[in-house]
Amino acid sequence: MSALNRVPSLMARAGTASVLTLAAVGGSVVVPGATAEAAAAGHATKALKIAASKKGSPYRWGATGPHRFDCSGLTLYSFKKAGKKLPRTAAQQYNKTRHVSAKNRKAGDLVFFHSGRSVYHVGIYAGKGRLWHAPKTGDVVRLQKIWTSSVWYGRVK
């Protein structure tokens, strides 16, 4: 049962007078389980903003910031600054996320590029089919359109 479906039963248990009092004073009804998802969304939004703030930083293989990054170094750095710990490589990061469908992806989710079952690149989904990433040697951290359908999405827990 989703958190939203539990709201009416919570209100019924609280009683009409309590709910009306709560509404009159501008309070809110707390839904169990909703805070964990809201916190995860908050970390993802922060990580996305941190990655965007690194626009123009040079790519360097093996670098984890704060001035140079490789792809997984950028995601690791961004989520660490947002309060979440990720492993070092793109494949390890994929294994530590909650996998989501393209239909359910959200800004702040990780985008994993794969060939067959092997993950070889990662970035942070920015919405509208774009991601922030550190592409390759000679390039810089930038916002780019996702160029292939060979991607998986993962949500940092």
Side-chain angles (χ1 to χ4, degrees):
M1 176 181 279
S2 79
L4 292 176
N5 291 338
R6 289 193 293 255
V7 173
S9 65
L10 288 172
M11 287 182 187
R13 276 190 251 146
T16 307
S18 298
V19 173
L20 292 175
T21 303
L22 193 59
V25 296
S28 60
V29 176
V30 176
V31 179
T35 53
E37 190 159 321
H43 286 106
T45 300
K46 280 184 191 173
L48 179 58
K49 288 177 182 175
I50 291 162
S53 78
K54 294 302 176 179
K55 178 181 179 178
S57 296
Y59 177 96
R60 175 183 261 157
W61 187 85
T64 58
H67 304 294
R68 290 172 169 37
F69 301 92
D70 68 7
C71 67
S72 57
L74 177 65
T75 55
L76 178 133
Y77 176 87
S78 299
F79 275 91
K80 183 178 180 181
K81 288 288 188 184
K84 287 290 183 177
K85 186 176 180 178
L86 285 175
R88 176 62 186 97
T89 69
Q92 291 168 336
Q93 289 176 8
Y94 178 73
N95 289 331
K96 286 289 183 180
T97 60
R98 184 166 58 93
H99 304 157
V100 294
S101 67
K103 185 177 91 169
N104 292 318
R105 68 189 177 185
K106 294 179 181 177
D109 286 342
L110 294 179
V111 182
F112 297 96
F113 293 75
H114 65 92
S115 177
R117 302 230 18 100
S118 299
V119 171
Y120 65 87
H121 186 64
V122 63
I124 301 178
Y125 187 64
K128 299 181 182 176
R130 301 170 306 160
L131 81 157
W132 281 101
H133 70 139
K136 62 185 184 236
T137 301
D139 213 333
V140 296
V141 172
R142 62 188 168 109
L143 182 64
Q144 185 174 356
K145 184 177 182 226
I146 297 171
W147 59 92
T148 178
S149 60
S150 295
V151 294
W152 293 321
Y153 297 90
R155 190 158 296 148
V156 176
K157 303 173 197 174

